[in-house]
Amino acid sequence: MILRLLRRLFFIEHYLRIEGDYAERFINLCAKNDIQLEKIKRTEENVQAIAIGFCASKIKELADKAGISVTITKKSGLLYRFLFYRCRIVFYLMPPAILVALWVLSGFIWSVQVSGNRSITNDMLYDYLIEQEWYYGDRISNIVPDEMEEHLRARFPIITWCNVVVKGTCLMIDIKENELAGAQTGEYQQYNMDGYGDMAALEQGTVASIITRAGIPQCKTGDSVSQGQILVSGKIPIYNNTGDTVIDYRYVAADADIMLQYEISYLNYVSAEVCVKEYTGASKESPFITTQLGKWQIGAQDAPYETFDHYSSCYQLRCMDNFYLPCYYGKIEYLETTFHNIYRNDQQVREILIEDYNDYLEELKAAGIEVIGDELQYIPGVQGTYLSGRLTICAPGGVFVPMESSVVIDTGTD
């Protein structure tokens, strides 16, 4: 079947209608003159056949010699297709126009792929690439991989290794970050203490534990401290030989693991009446095509339902693996929804409050915060219930505070 279609496309075929009493003689003359006839079929009125090749004039000559009438009812093949479109200049201009368009597009970046980043978000990198004109739609000739790698490492010091490659119209950036520099414990950031300073209390509470690495501790376990109070001083006094007089000070970056015990408040409310969303099962899809020039939606332009959820999938058009084009295609799926109110009893409301509270405890635990005790109570409201109280927690409670005075930084050498 496929071979037949290919032959009909590229080879010349003439469909013949042979009329007369000497059709057999005409067929024999065609065979003698190397004219290939196929699918010879006799009907009540005539004989039908297909002649292969450039033989139209020879067929007329052989028909006259055989004394019969031969009519060419149809011609097919690549030559006749070109002759059919000879008045449609766009048909001939389209292939070179497409090649020129692809050649022009090949000189620009149409896709940016970033991998290996963790602390640095894609948006941060994309904003910087846009500033440097290394982003979507910019010329590939503007990108020098070695220089781009240096600029990225200078702009983001957390990057320890960077590799930039341009493949086709895709800019591929692979980076590795310094994991220690981006480490965090809960919401308390580990400060990069390049200078000198003290460790101060984040909250008012009681010192649960303190392990000092650098500096002089100003408190001990069990002491009550206020917010902002210096817990570890980076100002180290230097005494004379007798040890009773301070002759100078050495300044360092105070560093310590400090755990504070203090109370925090907790409040959560759950309504007895809640609006629930349900899907009716009805859905519609709307394909779309989008470029930088605009978005064209194929099918329904407006949302087909009064209330709905919609989900979209989008794919970038590309040739081969890395030759991306500035065109996207996809579809939007609309799902019809309905809303209705339901009412929960007091037991159901309290179960939801307990579930929310347990989730909150898990979040505190993930942040390195230990809950020592709690005092909670249910408070009925107008249309729901409150869960309110106070929690006693043990959490990291030290923050680095740089000193403002100009002093010599301790380098660790005499």
Side-chain angles (χ1 to χ4, degrees):
M1 182 64 180
I2 297 178
L3 294 176
R4 176 62 179 168
L5 292 176
L6 291 175
R7 201 180 79 168
R8 289 189 61 185
L9 177 63
F10 294 102
F11 288 85
I12 302 299
E13 295 181 343
H14 299 86
Y15 291 77
L16 307 180
R17 185 175 66 242
I18 307 171
E19 297 173 329
D21 298 331
Y22 304 103
E24 291 80 1
R25 183 182 179 187
F26 171 75
I27 295 174
N28 292 332
L29 289 173
C30 288
K32 185 177 180 180
N33 288 271
D34 297 328
I35 297 177
Q36 183 180 354
L37 295 181
E38 293 185 353
K39 294 187 175 182
I40 303 173
K41 182 175 65 174
R42 179 180 291 276
T43 64
E44 294 181 358
E45 296 82 8
N46 52 51
V47 176
Q48 297 180 359
I50 299 177
I52 308 299
F54 295 96
C55 55
S57 59
K58 191 67 174 177
I59 286 175
K60 294 291 185 182
E61 179 182 342
L62 296 178
D64 294 340
K65 187 174 182 180
I68 61 174
S69 173
V70 176
T71 305
I72 299 176
T73 60
K74 181 180 176 182
K75 300 178 181 179
S76 67
L78 189 61
L79 174 64
Y80 293 112
R81 291 184 182 273
F82 278 111
L83 293 176
F84 178 77
Y85 290 109
R86 63 183 180 275
C87 296
R88 295 170 173 84
I89 190 64
V90 176
F91 175 79
Y92 296 99
L93 294 180
M94 187 176 296
I98 293 175
L99 293 176
V100 172
L102 291 176
W103 177 75
V104 173
L105 293 174
S106 66
F108 298 86
I109 293 293
W110 299 118
S111 178
V112 178
Q113 298 179 3
V114 180
S115 60
N117 58 315
R118 302 181 66 180
S119 299
I120 305 173
T121 64
N122 285 350
D123 290 340
M124 295 169 60
L125 283 170
Y126 293 158
D127 290 342
Y128 180 69
L129 295 177
I130 292 173
E131 293 176 2
Q132 302 297 321
E133 296 185 351
W134 294 334
Y135 195 57
Y136 193 96
D138 292 317
R139 290 186 176 275
I140 295 178
S141 58
N142 294 340
I143 297 177
V144 181
D146 293 339
E147 295 182 2
M148 187 174 179
E149 293 169 3
E150 294 179 1
H151 281 80
L152 287 172
R153 287 194 295 266
R155 175 61 180 83
F156 303 100
I158 195 174
I159 296 178
T160 59
W161 178 84
C162 180
N163 183 42
V164 177
V165 178
V166 178
K167 292 185 177 181
T169 60
C170 180
L171 175 63
M172 308 177 71
I173 303 175
D174 186 18
I175 64 177
K176 290 185 179 179
E177 301 177 355
N178 184 355
E179 297 181 357
L180 296 178
Q184 291 186 347
T185 303
E187 60 179 318
Y188 304 101
Q189 183 176 355
Q190 295 179 347
Y191 291 84
N192 182 18
M193 295 173 288
D194 296 328
Y196 48 90
D198 306 317
M199 294 289 292
L202 277 172
E203 298 287 345
Q204 179 179 350
T206 303
V207 179
S209 66
I210 178 170
I211 302 175
T212 306
R213 297 188 184 91
I216 299 178
Q218 303 297 307
C219 62
K220 61 183 182 299
T221 302
D223 289 351
S224 297
V225 297
S226 58
Q227 185 179 16
Q229 179 181 335
I230 301 301
L231 305 183
V232 179
S233 175
K235 184 179 179 181
I236 303 176
I238 301 174
Y239 294 90
N240 59 6
N241 293 333
T242 60
D244 56 1
T245 304
V246 177
I247 60 175
D248 200 358
Y249 290 95
R250 173 175 291 179
Y251 296 88
V252 298
D255 186 16
D257 289 336
I258 303 170
M259 299 296 291
L260 291 182
Q261 179 179 321
Y262 55 94
E263 290 186 349
I264 60 174
S265 60
Y266 177 83
L267 179 64
N268 188 22
Y269 172 78
V270 173
S271 174
E273 180 183 0
V274 62
C275 183
V276 178
K277 177 177 67 176
E278 291 184 352
Y279 294 99
T280 64
S283 64
K284 287 187 178 180
E285 292 184 354
S286 177
F288 68 86
I289 300 173
T290 179
T291 66
Q292 283 189 318
L293 300 177
K295 182 176 180 179
W296 298 274
Q297 195 164 343
I298 305 172
Q301 294 292 331
D302 299 326
Y305 309 113
E306 183 176 354
T307 58
F308 61 91
D309 283 347
H310 69 279
Y311 304 91
S312 62
S313 57
C314 187
Y315 307 94
Q316 187 171 8
L317 193 64
R318 65 178 182 177
C319 301
M320 298 174 289
D321 290 337
N322 296 300
F323 194 95
Y324 289 84
L325 299 175
C327 299
Y328 296 83
Y329 66 94
K331 65 179 180 180
I332 302 176
E333 183 178 8
Y334 297 94
L335 305 176
E336 186 181 20
T337 60
T338 59
F339 296 88
H340 64 275
N341 294 334
I342 63 172
Y343 296 89
R344 300 176 288 206
N345 57 36
D346 186 63
Q347 180 63 27
Q348 292 174 328
V349 170
R350 292 195 175 197
E351 289 177 356
I352 296 174
L353 287 170
I354 291 298
E355 184 178 350
D356 292 345
Y357 177 66
N358 291 333
D359 292 340
Y360 179 69
L361 293 181
E362 291 296 328
E363 293 177 3
L364 293 180
K365 184 178 179 181
I369 300 173
E370 179 185 359
V371 178
I372 300 174
D374 56 16
E375 294 181 2
L376 302 174
Q377 61 178 339
Y378 296 101
I379 303 175
V382 178
Q383 294 182 345
T385 303
Y386 293 90
L387 180 61
S388 175
R390 296 189 66 80
L391 308 180
T392 302
I393 65 171
C394 184
V399 60
F400 180 75
V401 181
M403 295 182 185
E404 297 181 357
S405 58
S406 300
V407 293
V408 178
I409 302 174
D410 177 33
T411 60
T413 57
D414 296 333

